[in-house]
Amino acid sequence: MPGNKYFSTQKKWWKEAVVYQIYPRSFKDSNDDGIGDLRGIISRLDYLQNLGINVIWLNPVFSSPNDDMGYDVSDYRNIMKEMGTINDFEELLEGLHQRGIKLIADLVLNHTSDEHEWFVQSKSSRTNPYRNFYHWWPAEKGTPPKRFSVFHEEGAWIYNETTDSYFLHYFSRKQPDLNWENPLVRKEMYDMMKFWLDKGVDGFRLDAFTFISKDLSFPPIPEKYQNDYFSYYASGPGLHDYIKEMTAEVFSRYDIMTVGEASGITHEQALLFTGTDRKEIQSLYHFDHANWGRNKNNLYYPDATNRKLTDLKKIFTKWNTAFENDGWGAVYLTTHDQGRMISRFGNDTSYRNESSKLLFTFLLSMRGTPYIYQGDEIGMCNIRFEKIGDYRDLHTINYYNHLAATGGDLKSFIDAQKETARDNSRTPFQWNPDTNAGFTGGNPWIKVNPDYNRINAETAETDPDSILHFARKIIALRKSLPVLVYGDYKLIEEDSETLFVFTRQFENEKVLVILNFSDHRNTFTIPAGFILMKELINNYPVKTVPVNNQIILQPWQAIVFKYNIQ
Ligand code: GLC
Ligand code: CA
């Protein structure tokens, strides 16, 4: 293993962090316009503190026409009007800091909104000083090389009449790609980052950062790779140079946390970005388990036959190996880009309570910084919309329209979206059993999941057996045990399709994590030489007593033991 082999046990606050992701549009609405906002988050600071998390990753709140829900920024130094003002942002930051919680902002690097002043200038004439802030293809060079857009529109190049040229957009047509080859673009972006860091922001999540450098010769793409965005669209020749420069100019000058959205990065490449000698970023999160159980030819369709626990274990084990000595990983089970954790990896009907707790046990005992997505701590489920009209995400809507126009199978698409649509995790947070789950007194921008009568924070608060209380307990456990942060990880029970069992070890502390990923009872045989000591946490109320070196596990039971070796 290359890299600095001592780094894995070196103390860093961002390794010890427990991150909570807030999708602000759906967290809490303070002024009844149906859209969650900064003052809404401010009103829930105590809730966040009581959860025990100590870092917030806040999805984009910068000015945006919201074609892609804030990932199309029209002014990086201002707050989106629906979200509030700069003053609200400062108040939020202060309120978090007072409670010992840090905030990492979402940095959209690859593209701006087409309504950003730079683009407005850029498209106005070929000689405008901002022309080279974006990628342009003059029409006299002929039709631009074929490229697709991630959001399934007509293609990644759009013709602009005023300047008789095409501009590039790998995401939506309202998200033109910035030209990072241009040093002026880089300087503007670094200045903007400093602007937020100087306000006290504690770090960044780097959105789609592998796309910032592309091969500008735009070589032809073999037919079967037409949709392989990552290999052909991202990770261009300048990528490492730009990240190194960003780190030298900005990140290295502050005590901050950086995590990259590593689309298309393999575990073999992970240390090229995160290795300490590379001076790039600290950590990244991968998509391998997000693609688990998906149709290999089209990731937007689930495929139950591809959903093997052994594969899931291989993915996490492989990524752990990548960061065994050096670099650092992120552990998450969902984000705003995927369906709900419980609907995807657990059982959200008969074992919602148990399987949510099991997934929390996994998140908080696995090696790497854990990321909890808002609402998972109360066991929120996929909404599974039946009608296209209920969806708000351009990803789903554009794909649907494309299928409708080309005679595709709309019914199977809608069925697939019930598992894969991003909107499944974007429905409003369920605070209480009142109208609209207490999220808003107005008309919510996206429907509230009708299960909110049963599933909401207020009800969870009054039930001592709730997922919420368990989540608080396991978060506290993680924070109290250095072995859960710095301990090594070893998988046992490699071949089991129902048991995910591993050990963590740091100095003299040894922990055994036993997870029964199934609707059935199961037997776990304690490995020879292991002496189980204290039961640290258990998602069932009865203490587990091994009989003849075996433990009978209940459906979705999760237990963490301290152990010794004979
Ligand atoms: C990232 C974001 C996603 C967004 C895309 C384009 O993948 O997480 O929500 O649509 O980048 O910025
Ligand atoms: Ca609002």
Side-chain angles (χ1 to χ4, degrees):
M1 231 338 106
N4 171 0
K5 74 182 179 107
Y6 301 110
F7 189 67
S8 58
T9 51
Q10 214 165 296
K11 299 247 148 79
K12 296 283 173 199
W13 66 261
W14 43 267
K15 292 183 180 175
E16 295 174 20
V18 177
V19 184
Y20 184 81
Q21 183 188 347
I22 294 190
Y23 193 71
R25 209 178 169 77
S26 294
F27 192 61
K28 174 73 186 141
D29 177 17
S30 72
N31 62 349
D32 294 345
D33 66 352
I35 299 174
D37 45 52
L38 297 177
R39 299 221 69 83
I41 306 175
I42 293 172
S43 73
R44 290 298 183 272
L45 285 173
D46 291 342
Y47 174 83
L48 297 171
Q49 185 177 25
N50 288 337
L51 200 52
I53 52 91
N54 46 24
V55 172
I56 299 284
W57 153 23
L58 186 62
N59 284 105
V61 292
F62 312 110
S63 301
S64 167
N66 285 304
D67 188 51
D68 184 23
M69 300 307 166
Y71 285 94
D72 45 323
V73 179
S74 54
D75 181 357
Y76 286 98
R77 293 174 189 238
N78 229 319
I79 300 293
M80 184 193 304
K81 55 180 184 317
E82 298 90 322
M83 289 288 156
T85 64
I86 289 262
N87 287 342
D88 295 332
F89 185 87
E90 285 168 349
E91 193 180 321
L92 170 64
L93 195 57
E94 201 184 311
L96 288 169
H97 286 169
Q98 274 165 4
R99 289 166 177 79
I101 303 172
K102 296 183 190 277
L103 182 139
I104 61 175
D106 210 321
L107 264 189
V108 190
L109 302 174
N110 178 65
H111 39 261
T112 68
S113 161
D114 63 343
E115 297 179 33
H116 194 292
E117 184 57 26
W118 299 340
F119 190 72
V120 174
Q121 294 285 336
S122 186
K123 70 173 187 188
S124 68
S125 90
R126 286 195 183 189
T127 54
N128 185 282
Y130 287 94
R131 184 64 171 179
N132 289 329
F133 268 49
Y134 298 86
H135 298 286
W136 290 100
W137 185 274
E140 62 272 19
K141 277 173 72 183
T143 320
K146 189 148 178 84
R147 286 295 184 272
F148 285 90
S149 137
V150 174
F151 291 140
H152 304 281
E153 296 174 18
E154 54 297 320
W157 293 100
I158 293 189
Y159 183 66
N160 161 261
E161 214 164 308
T162 322
T163 63
D164 192 26
S165 320
Y166 300 80
F167 71 86
L168 183 71
H169 71 94
Y170 278 155
F171 292 83
S172 101
R173 49 162 45 233
K174 285 183 66 64
Q175 291 168 306
D177 285 42
L178 280 166
N179 175 14
W180 278 72
E181 313 294 321
N182 181 348
L184 295 176
V185 167
R186 305 204 298 273
K187 182 166 184 320
E188 286 282 359
M189 294 303 269
Y190 304 155
D191 286 350
M192 172 275 283
M193 294 173 193
K194 288 183 202 153
F195 171 83
W196 291 106
L197 293 172
D198 291 339
K199 281 201 183 301
V201 164
D202 304 286
F204 295 117
R205 176 250 185 196
L206 311 182
D207 180 65
F209 79 97
T210 53
F211 285 85
I212 62 178
S213 168
K214 19 222 167 236
D215 183 345
L216 295 180
S217 69
F218 296 108
I221 298 179
E223 194 56 41
K224 66 174 182 162
Y225 290 118
Q226 285 291 350
N227 281 315
D228 188 349
Y229 303 106
F230 306 133
S231 317
Y232 286 90
Y233 288 46
S235 297
L239 182 59
H240 288 288
D241 293 341
Y242 303 154
I243 299 170
K244 280 189 201 311
E245 185 183 68
M246 192 182 300
T247 300
E249 295 288 322
V250 189
F251 302 158
S252 63
R253 302 182 184 196
Y254 302 81
D255 177 23
I256 54 166
M257 167 166 180
T258 51
V259 55
E261 185 195 23
S263 336
I265 293 178
T266 64
H267 71 287
E268 286 105 346
Q269 299 162 331
L271 284 192
L272 294 177
F273 296 91
T274 61
T276 38
D277 57 342
R278 300 281 300 174
K279 301 199 167 27
E280 297 194 16
I281 55 176
Q282 292 162 346
S283 61
L284 38 85
Y285 70 85
H286 64 84
F287 284 87
D288 287 2
H289 60 302
N291 300 338
W292 174 80
R294 290 288 156 88
N295 182 315
K296 295 229 158 37
N297 300 319
N298 189 334
L299 297 177
Y300 306 116
Y301 287 80
D303 174 3
T305 60
N306 267 326
R307 213 173 284 157
K308 285 204 186 122
L309 187 69
T310 43
D311 289 339
L312 196 64
K313 292 193 283 191
K314 272 187 206 134
I315 290 169
F316 281 103
T317 305
K318 170 180 96 182
W319 275 91
N320 179 69
T321 312
F323 300 120
E324 205 154 32
N325 296 320
D326 198 6
W328 196 250
V331 182
Y332 72 98
L333 288 170
T334 194
T335 67
H336 65 295
D337 289 332
Q338 296 153 34
R340 283 277 166 194
M341 159 179 107
I342 170 79
S343 305
R344 177 124 167 75
F345 298 102
N347 175 335
D348 69 5
T349 52
S350 18
Y351 293 103
R352 193 181 65 88
N353 184 303
E354 296 79 1
S355 66
S356 281
K357 291 175 180 173
L358 174 139
L359 296 174
F360 263 93
T361 308
F362 171 73
L363 268 179
L364 278 296
S365 61
M366 185 61 194
R367 190 166 170 273
T369 300
Y371 285 67
I372 299 165
Y373 182 72
Q374 73 177 37
D376 281 350
E377 75 277 20
I378 55 166
M380 282 178 63
C381 306
N382 279 3
I383 189 156
R384 304 186 169 99
F385 286 133
E386 292 287 348
K387 295 197 300 273
I388 187 67
D390 286 333
Y391 281 101
R392 296 290 173 266
D393 180 15
L394 84 169
H395 199 190
T396 300
I397 297 169
N398 290 352
Y399 204 134
Y400 182 93
N401 290 340
H402 164 77
L403 285 177
T406 53
D409 181 349
L410 296 173
K411 184 176 176 313
S412 69
F413 174 72
I414 289 287
D415 281 346
Q417 288 295 296
K418 291 177 189 169
E419 182 182 319
T420 62
R422 309 197 293 181
D423 279 342
N424 281 308
S425 63
R426 297 180 179 185
T427 63
F429 190 100
Q430 295 160 206
W431 291 104
N432 59 42
D434 304 340
T435 319
N436 293 324
F439 163 71
T440 179
N443 198 7
W445 71 278
I446 187 170
K447 279 189 181 159
V448 178
N449 194 319
D451 64 17
Y452 73 84
N453 293 317
R454 241 176 348 113
I455 303 174
N456 62 71
E458 194 180 290
T459 306
E461 199 66 68
T462 58
D463 172 9
D465 185 40
S466 68
I467 301 161
L468 180 61
H469 285 291
F470 184 86
R472 287 184 185 138
K473 228 167 101 183
I474 187 110
I475 291 168
L477 185 71
R478 171 139 186 147
K479 293 203 301 193
S480 69
L481 286 180
V483 59
L484 293 182
V485 179
Y486 297 105
D488 67 3
Y489 156 96
K490 283 204 179 69
L491 179 70
I492 39 187
E493 295 283 351
E494 229 167 277
D495 301 326
S496 168
E497 289 298 353
T498 47
L499 288 179
F500 197 156
V501 182
F502 53 90
T503 59
R504 304 287 314 272
Q505 183 174 343
F506 178 56
E507 292 166 352
N508 291 325
E509 279 197 294
K510 295 185 189 67
V511 160
L512 174 69
V513 180
I514 307 169
L515 310 169
N516 177 18
F517 268 80
S518 86
D519 289 350
H520 307 285
R521 292 174 93 199
N522 219 329
T523 308
F524 169 67
T525 306
I526 301 165
F530 276 51
I531 310 166
L532 300 190
M533 312 288 284
K534 196 173 163 203
E535 187 182 273
L536 295 169
I537 202 160
N538 180 348
N539 66 345
Y540 274 76
V542 197
K543 205 164 174 308
T544 313
V545 187
V547 178
N548 298 331
N549 258 349
Q550 293 196 321
I551 295 175
I552 306 295
L553 299 161
Q554 301 305 313
W556 297 97
Q557 188 163 17
I559 323 173
V560 180
F561 285 104
K562 254 192 186 170
Y563 74 98
N564 259 329
I565 291 287
Q566 213 159 28

